[in-house]
C-alpha cells in the first residue's frame, strides 16, 4: 500500500468520526492484518445518520480470482460491518443469517468505501444492510443480515471480563 492510500484510509470524510468496534481493539483481527498485505479497514460513524462507514483497502493476500478480491473476504467484511452497525446502534449482536450479492469483481490494491446500517429491530432480532462501493460510487457488493441481540446478563463472567466491550455495554439505545 502506498503512502497516499494509507493517508486516505486514516482521514475521515466530512461529518465522519473515527469508530472502534469492540473486536477491533487490537492491531490484528480476523479480517485485518494492519501493516500486512491482506486487508485494511478504518471504521467511522457518519454524523448525518449514525450509520457505520468505512474505508477499505484489499491487498494481494485477499486474492481470489487473479487480481481480484476473494468473495469470502468481501462477505466477511460486510458481516463485520453490519454487526458493527448493530453494536454502535446499541444492540450487541451476532450474525444469524447473511446474504451477500456480488455485483462486480473487486480489483486488488485499490481503496473502497463501506457503509452499514440497522434497518429494523424487533425484540432480539436486528436487521442490517451493508454495501461496498468504489470511490466513484460504483457498487461492488451488497448484503443484508439478520442478527440476534446477545443477552449480556446471561454471558456472565465473559461479559464482565470483556473490558474492551464495556463502552458498548453502556450505550444508550437509539430508536430505529
Amino acid at each position: 500500500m502506498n503512502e497516499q492510500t494509507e493517508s486516505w484510509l486514516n482521514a475521515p470524510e466530512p461529518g465522519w468520526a473515527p469508530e472502534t468496534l469492540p473486536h477491533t481493539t487490537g492491531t490484528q483481527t480476523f479480517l485485518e492484518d494492519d501493516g500486512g498485505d491482506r486487508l485494511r479497514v478504518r471504521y467511522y460513524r457518519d454524523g448525518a445518520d449514525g450509520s457505520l462507514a468505512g474505508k477499505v483497502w484489499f491487498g494481494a493476500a485477499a486474492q481470489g480470482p487473479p487480481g481480484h478480491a476473494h468473495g469470502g473476504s468481501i462477505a466477511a467484511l460486510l458481516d463485520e460491518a453490519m454487526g458493527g452497525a448493530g453494536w454502535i446502534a446499541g444492540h450487541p449482536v451476532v450474525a444469524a443469517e447473511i446474504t451477500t450479492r456480488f455485483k462486480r469483481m473487486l480489483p486488488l490494491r485499490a481503496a473502497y468505501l463501506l457503509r452499514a446500517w440497522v434497518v429494523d429491530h424487533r425484540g432480539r432480532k436486528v436487521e442490517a444492510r451493508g454495501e461496498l462501493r468504489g470511490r466513484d460510487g460504483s457498487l461492488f457488493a451488497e448484503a443484508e443480515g439478520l442478527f440476534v441481540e446477545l443477552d449480556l446478563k446471561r454471558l456472565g463472567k465473559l461479559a464482565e471480563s470483556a473490558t474492551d466491550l464495556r463502552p458498548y455495554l453502556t450505550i444508550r439505545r437509539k430508536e430505529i
Side-chain angles (χ1 to χ4, degrees), residues 4-89:
Q4 183 179 6
T5 302
E6 186 73 36
S7 293
W8 177 80
L9 277 175
N10 293 315
E13 296 295 312
W16 290 10
E19 183 68 56
T20 302
L21 303 182
H23 61 284
T24 62
T25 57
T27 58
Q28 195 162 346
T29 68
F30 173 73
L31 285 178
E32 187 173 9
D33 62 340
D34 221 6
D37 198 32
R38 186 173 57 236
L39 189 139
R40 299 192 197 166
V41 60
R42 301 295 182 271
Y43 289 111
Y44 301 93
R45 186 186 300 234
D46 187 334
D49 61 11
S51 65
L52 184 67
K55 294 182 172 186
V56 187
W57 177 85
F58 288 84
Q63 181 169 282
H68 294 84
H70 189 287
S73 67
I74 296 168
L77 176 68
L78 289 166
D79 170 14
E80 180 173 276
M82 290 186 298
W87 278 83
I88 69 169

Side-chain angles (χ1 to χ4, degrees), residues 45-125:
R45 186 186 300 234
D46 187 334
D49 61 11
S51 65
L52 184 67
K55 294 182 172 186
V56 187
W57 177 85
F58 288 84
Q63 181 169 282
H68 294 84
H70 189 287
S73 67
I74 296 168
L77 176 68
L78 289 166
D79 170 14
E80 180 173 276
M82 290 186 298
W87 278 83
I88 69 169
H91 308 289
V93 295
V94 293
E97 181 178 321
I98 295 172
T99 301
T100 304
R101 287 174 292 285
F102 303 100
K103 299 298 188 176
R104 60 177 50 164
M105 292 177 62
L106 189 139
L108 294 174
R109 299 198 178 281
Y112 301 92
L113 294 167
L114 173 68
R115 176 86 56 180
W117 61 97
V118 172
V119 293
D120 197 14
H121 171 244
R122 292 177 317 278
R124 293 181 56 211
K125 294 180 180 180

